[in-house]
Amino acid sequence: MRRTVFNEDHEAFRETLRAFIEAEVVPVYDEWFAAGQAPRDFYYKLGELGIFGINVPEEYGGAGLDSHKFEAVLYEETARAGVQFGGSGVHVLLALPYIKMLATDEQKKRYLPKFVTGEEMWAIAMTEPGTGSDLAGMKSTAKLSEDGTHYVLNGAKTFITGGVHADRVIVCARTAAPTAEDRRHGISLFAVDTKSEGYSIGRKLDKLGLRTSDTAELAFVDVKVPVEDLLGEENKGFYYLGHNLASERWGIAFGAYAQAKAAVRFAKQYVQERTVFGKPVAHFQNTKFELAACQAEVDAAEAVADRATEALDAGELTPAEAASAKLFCTEVAHRVIDRCLQLHGGYGYMNEYPIARLYADNRVNRIYGGTSEIMKTIIAKDMGL
């Protein structure tokens, strides 16, 4: 089936990106994998390539586009090569929408030029130990000082992707107590400078997958956050978070589809080269049937992912549609990658093969951004159930 989601500009970007990955990432990726993170200077290269500025207005050094399709190409090309760009995905997919939506003109002038170049990497800190998906239950606090010049931030966060290399982190904290009518009231967002006194990085977490993205625990002890770094209005943070969940879940859905597509590619190549009982594994009927079934599932996921992309760019992707896309694409990826690993036999369990890393990387897709169970709840509510 002919895809219509991408045009000539996207395909030109794909060629540039593929060449960049082959030259700058593939040769050193094993080193990143062993170290558990991409090196900090790699993000400067992404900045030079223009990755961080695609959706940033031209006045701040970006390309001024308003589309997620270039991000979609990036998901496909990194999956195709069996690599990750460290924690940079959070920088663009999660942090940038909040800056564009909430930052004042003065804040944008301070934040965005360094954002585009990679001089200032961003992350977002929502999850706390013991809260998980229940963001309304967060305990971190930010109290306004008596002179009104700054907030005093205290608390802890965990599972913060990009947390080791981040120069600024959008921290969610309570500026007021929840009300009896609304547990979500009282949360605010702050663009916290990680060099601030009292800000500390705890453990770099040892994850099952996504090994090259730095994921950390963060702690705040009487961190002074200037009032000029409050994003949006006080106490409305929870609603801001909900506003951007659709784009976050789209990113997970599209990334999962891209991983499934890459898994079929890896498996097809392997079974054509691997010989068993005197002939290539690809010659066995079971192999053909398994890959054919996987390809059919990938085709379906591609259609869902592309439709969600078009809806997102048009500003029409609803929370329920984003949840549906995430649920479907991540479940497809789970099944397809597992079957493709099986076709590799014992070698599929070895980290030197991209299918093994892909298997581990993919697992978190059904957890972060809202678990599959949360997605089902959202969809069921939209159905009137």
Side-chain angles (χ1 to χ4, degrees), residues 97-133:
Y98 290 103
I99 301 172
K100 292 175 66 176
M101 178 176 70
L102 302 175
T104 63
D105 289 342
E106 184 275 332
Q107 286 175 323
K108 289 177 181 177
K109 289 177 183 177
R110 283 195 290 126
Y111 300 153
L112 288 176
K114 294 180 180 179
F115 181 101
V116 170
T117 62
E119 182 180 348
E120 204 167 75
M121 293 300 296
W122 287 61
I124 184 164
M126 292 185 275
T127 305
E128 296 184 358
T131 61
S133 297

Side-chain angles (χ1 to χ4, degrees), residues 224-278:
K224 292 182 179 180
V225 183
V227 293
E228 292 82 8
D229 286 328
L230 171 69
L231 284 175
E233 296 182 40
E234 257 194 14
N235 303 326
K236 293 188 176 181
F238 192 94
Y239 306 98
Y240 298 145
L241 295 174
H243 184 274
N244 286 324
L245 279 176
S247 62
E248 178 183 354
R249 288 167 179 164
W250 164 81
I252 297 170
F254 203 98
Y257 141 70
Q259 290 176 326
K261 182 177 181 179
V264 173
R265 176 175 178 266
F266 296 146
K268 179 182 175 182
Q269 181 180 2
Y270 178 82
V271 299
Q272 288 176 327
E273 297 173 352
R274 173 70 169 164
T275 300
V276 176
F277 302 123

Side-chain angles (χ1 to χ4, degrees), residues 32-324:
W32 297 4
F33 189 85
Q37 62 187 33
R40 178 61 178 85
D41 61 4
F42 173 67
Y43 298 137
Y44 292 111
K45 294 181 180 180
L46 292 180
E48 292 173 3
L49 191 63
I51 296 293
F52 298 150
I54 293 171
N55 291 325
V56 172
E58 292 182 51
E59 62 190 290
Y60 304 113
L65 302 180
D66 188 20
S67 172
H68 288 78
K69 293 181 180 179
F70 292 94
E71 293 173 51
V73 171
L74 190 149
Y75 284 127
E76 290 187 334
E77 289 304 307
T78 51
R80 179 185 181 276
V83 301
Q84 297 278 338
F85 278 1
S88 64
V90 169
H91 183 69
V92 174
L93 181 65
L94 299 189
L96 181 58
Y98 290 103
I99 301 172
K100 292 175 66 176
M101 178 176 70
L102 302 175
T104 63
D105 289 342
E106 184 275 332
Q107 286 175 323
K108 289 177 181 177
K109 289 177 183 177
R110 283 195 290 126
Y111 300 153
L112 288 176
K114 294 180 180 179
F115 181 101
V116 170
T117 62
E119 182 180 348
E120 204 167 75
M121 293 300 296
W122 287 61
I124 184 164
M126 292 185 275
T127 305
E128 296 184 358
T131 61
S133 297
D134 182 20
L135 294 179
M138 69 176 62
K139 299 291 192 283
S140 294
T141 61
K143 297 182 179 180
L144 188 63
S145 62
E146 291 185 3
D147 61 6
T149 61
H150 63 273
Y151 292 85
V152 180
L153 175 65
N154 284 281
K157 300 289 181 178
T158 192
F159 304 146
I160 310 306
T161 300
V164 174
H165 285 320
D167 301 287
R168 275 196 185 268
V169 176
I170 299 175
V171 177
C172 312
R174 283 206 164 276
T175 43
T179 65
E181 297 78 21
D182 189 359
R183 293 178 63 240
R184 299 169 294 184
H185 172 76
I187 294 172
S188 301
L189 307 184
F190 300 90
V192 179
D193 186 339
T194 63
K195 296 185 295 296
S196 302
E197 184 178 352
Y199 180 105
S200 63
I201 301 170
R203 293 183 303 152
K204 182 168 75 69
L205 300 175
D206 185 16
K207 306 187 301 295
L208 170 68
L210 301 178
R211 302 284 297 183
T212 64
S213 68
D214 50 306
T215 301
E217 296 173 330
L218 306 179
F220 322 112
V221 179
D222 294 335
V223 176
K224 292 182 179 180
V225 183
V227 293
E228 292 82 8
D229 286 328
L230 171 69
L231 284 175
E233 296 182 40
E234 257 194 14
N235 303 326
K236 293 188 176 181
F238 192 94
Y239 306 98
Y240 298 145
L241 295 174
H243 184 274
N244 286 324
L245 279 176
S247 62
E248 178 183 354
R249 288 167 179 164
W250 164 81
I252 297 170
F254 203 98
Y257 141 70
Q259 290 176 326
K261 182 177 181 179
V264 173
R265 176 175 178 266
F266 296 146
K268 179 182 175 182
Q269 181 180 2
Y270 178 82
V271 299
Q272 288 176 327
E273 297 173 352
R274 173 70 169 164
T275 300
V276 176
F277 302 123
K279 57 183 178 180
V281 175
H283 285 202
F284 292 95
Q285 186 182 63
N286 179 69
T287 304
K288 296 176 182 180
F289 282 6
E290 283 292 286
L291 282 177
C294 287
Q295 183 62 54
E297 290 218 74
V298 169
D299 287 343
E302 180 179 271
V304 169
D306 285 356
R307 185 181 69 174
T309 303
E310 295 285 17
L312 183 62
D313 271 13
E316 299 172 354
L317 186 65
T318 69
E321 289 169 343
S324 178

Side-chain angles (χ1 to χ4, degrees), residues 340-351:
C340 288
L341 186 150
Q342 188 73 15
L343 289 172
H344 282 70
Y347 289 105
Y349 205 64
M350 301 296 111
N351 274 326

